[in-house]
């Protein structure tokens, strides 16, 4: 399409580098010109020299058209990295700095899964809520200590997220949007979300708007996943609900995600939902389909729709193939590349 795309690659830890390598292989096989630069970041880097993500590296990343991320994190049981170091210092730092305010996660239920035959997308607000980091300790470590963790919800932030979700719902055949929140208990943030989404809905009379409380949405996700088309929700509810959505759709091994800055004032970040799975790292065992699907989301964002569509169709067909359950990481990458 529009020349060579400059991609920053953060393979990360565990199976991360293996699944991103297959993703790059597939993108090249699709004929999309990309120029990649590897960034050594994650648990391994932190353990080696203490860097999580310096401001200097952050500014280098900002110059790329997109960022492809594998997975970051230490092995389970490795307690050498305090919880939150990589989450806040690397992943969330990028989300905030690059203003990737949409976290888009599509789900297609594979055969045999609870959500078999269903197709829905969760739009998670990605820069506010409890993730904003508001709060602190008082009298920490004493018997009278207090910890608060606030939820930040701005009219601006909720509205831009709602608009994105309505636009997406409008572009899909069913044109249905479900707001998921907990307005019966979170009467301040829930009220802001409810009023904002209801107001934005006036500009989208062609989209059917529904509402579910988060607890009910968890039941529906398991018992009636077919009721969903597009879901819009806040940061933490979206985090939890997309893990459940992954589980009912055939496993987190298939779940892809895009951290989008729709206005392109910063690079968007594309990553599989799964983690670094150190227990199977380096054994050519990881399923790279979630990473490859995330690569397809990246291509869509870069305007390479035709290539994205071809990759998505092959991934879908392959995910539905029992052979994919036993194939190696490289075999899956090679097969998708060949079918292209
Ligand atoms: C996810 C992850 C992250 C999140 C963590 C690792 C910061 O769970 O992308 O869903 O909570 O957003
Ligand atoms: Mn999560």
């Amino acid at each position: 399409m529009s020349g060579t795309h400059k991609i920053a690659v953060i393979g990360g830890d565990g199976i991360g580098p293996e699944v991103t390598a297959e993703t790059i292989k597939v993108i090249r096989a699709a004929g999309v010109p990309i120029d990649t630069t590897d960034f050594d970041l994650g648990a391994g880097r932190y353990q080696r020299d203490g860097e999580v993500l310096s401001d200097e590296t952050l500014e280098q990343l900002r110059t790329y058209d997109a960022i492809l991320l594998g997975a970051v994190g230490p092995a389970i049981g490795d307690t050498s990295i305090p919880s939150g170091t990589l989450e806040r210092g690397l992943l969330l730092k990028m989300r905030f700095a690059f203003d990737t305010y949409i976290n888009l996660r599509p789900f297609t239920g594979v055969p045999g899964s609870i959500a078999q035959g269903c197709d829905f997308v969760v739009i998670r607000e990605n820069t506010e809520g409890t993730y904003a980091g508001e709060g602190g300790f008082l009298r920490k470590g004493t018997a009278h200590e207090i910890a608060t963790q606030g939820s930040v919800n701005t009219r601006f932030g909720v509205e831009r997220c709602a608009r994105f979700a309505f636009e997406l719902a409008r572009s899909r055949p069913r044109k249905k949007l479900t707001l998921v929140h907990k307005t019966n208990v979170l009467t301040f943030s829930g009220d802001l979300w409810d009023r904002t989404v209801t107001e934005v809905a006036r500009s989208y009379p062609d989209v059917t708007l529904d509402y579910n409380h988060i607890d009910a949405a968890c039941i529906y996700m398991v018992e009636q996943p077919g009721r969903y088309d597009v879901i819009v929700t806040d940061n933490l509810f979206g985090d939890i609900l997309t893990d459940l959505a992954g589980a009912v759709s055939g496993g987190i091994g298939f779940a892809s995600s895009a951290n989008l800055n729709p206005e392109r004032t910063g690079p968007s970040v594309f990553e599989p939902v799964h983690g670094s799975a150190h227990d199977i790292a380096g054994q050519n065992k990881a399923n790279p389909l979630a990473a490859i699907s995330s690569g397809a989301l990246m291509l869509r964002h870069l305007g390479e729709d035709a290539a994205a569509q071809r990759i998505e169709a092959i991934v879908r067909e392959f995910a539905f193939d029992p052979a994919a359950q036993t194939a190696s990481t490289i075999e899956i990458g090679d097969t998708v590349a060949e079918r292209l």
Side-chain angles (χ1 to χ4, degrees):
M1 219 205 110
S2 50
T4 302
H5 306 288
K6 261 183 76 188
I7 310 297
V9 180
I10 304 174
D13 306 301
I15 61 170
E18 294 168 65
V19 297
T20 46
E22 297 313 306
T23 305
I24 291 163
K25 182 197 284 177
V26 166
I27 292 173
R28 293 222 159 95
V32 177
I34 53 169
D35 189 359
T36 64
T37 309
D38 284 309
F39 283 78
D40 176 16
L41 294 167
R45 173 73 190 272
Y46 175 72
Q47 284 165 332
R48 236 173 302 117
D49 68 9
E51 161 139 2
V52 178
L53 174 59
S54 65
D55 291 340
E56 195 190 330
T57 308
L58 185 77
E59 291 318 311
Q60 278 169 17
L61 286 169
R62 197 188 288 283
T63 65
Y64 286 79
D65 296 325
I67 299 168
L68 185 67
L69 192 136
V72 298
I76 292 170
D78 177 347
T79 52
S80 66
I81 306 179
S83 181
T85 305
L86 297 171
E87 290 85 347
R88 285 226 160 261
L90 175 54
L91 299 173
L92 300 187
K93 187 168 176 173
M94 287 196 291
R95 288 180 190 174
F96 295 130
F98 303 147
D99 201 20
T100 59
Y101 65 88
I102 296 297
N103 191 311
L104 178 148
R105 295 183 168 175
F107 297 92
T108 304
V110 304
S113 70
I114 291 171
Q116 170 171 340
C118 300
D119 197 310
F120 60 92
V121 183
V122 179
I123 298 301
R124 159 187 175 190
E125 200 294 320
N126 212 30
T127 54
E128 299 193 342
T130 43
Y131 280 66
E134 192 210 66
F137 288 108
L138 194 60
R139 302 192 291 261
K140 188 176 180 185
T142 74
H144 300 277
E145 74 179 319
I146 297 170
T148 63
Q149 192 95 47
S151 176
V152 175
N153 298 266
T154 70
R155 170 76 200 203
F156 168 76
V158 175
E159 188 175 329
R160 65 181 181 171
C161 179
R163 279 196 192 285
F164 185 93
F166 272 106
E167 286 292 331
L168 178 65
R170 169 174 276 178
S171 76
R172 293 167 59 92
R174 288 170 66 195
K175 302 191 195 312
K176 180 177 174 188
L177 180 67
T178 307
L179 168 63
V180 170
H181 210 284
K182 186 74 184 175
T183 55
N184 53 343
V185 174
L186 305 183
T187 50
F188 309 128
S189 60
D191 189 68
L192 176 63
W193 271 84
D194 185 40
R195 273 185 291 116
T196 306
V197 169
T198 305
E199 217 173 287
V200 174
R202 287 195 207 116
S203 311
Y204 297 86
D206 50 329
V207 175
T208 309
L209 179 62
D210 195 7
Y211 171 81
N212 291 160
H213 289 317
I214 179 65
D215 46 352
C218 290
I219 297 179
Y220 291 141
M221 186 63 77
V222 175
E223 295 191 343
Q224 306 169 26
R227 70 187 285 135
Y228 295 121
D229 179 20
V230 179
I231 290 173
V232 65
T233 190
D234 97 333
N235 210 338
L236 185 58
F237 293 144
D239 176 48
I240 299 166
L241 196 61
T242 52
D243 269 16
L244 182 60
V248 301
S249 307
I252 209 84
F254 292 111
S256 59
S257 96
N259 299 272
L260 297 174
N261 174 327
E263 285 76 36
R264 293 156 204 274
T265 55
S268 295
V269 184
F270 300 83
E271 56 174 330
V273 179
H274 65 67
S276 46
H278 286 258
D279 53 327
I280 57 162
Q283 298 170 40
N284 194 22
K285 270 188 183 168
N287 182 343
L289 288 175
I292 294 171
S293 306
S294 305
L297 292 173
M298 179 173 84
L299 294 187
R300 224 171 255 290
H301 182 72
L302 294 171
E304 301 281 1
D305 289 283
Q309 214 163 350
R310 280 161 59 218
I311 294 171
E312 276 163 2
I314 293 165
V315 166
R316 202 166 283 218
E317 163 188 309
F318 202 64
F320 284 17
D321 182 345
Q325 307 303 317
T326 51
S328 74
T329 312
I330 294 173
E331 273 166 6
I332 296 177
D334 285 346
T335 305
V336 176
E338 273 158 30
R339 291 191 190 174
L340 279 162

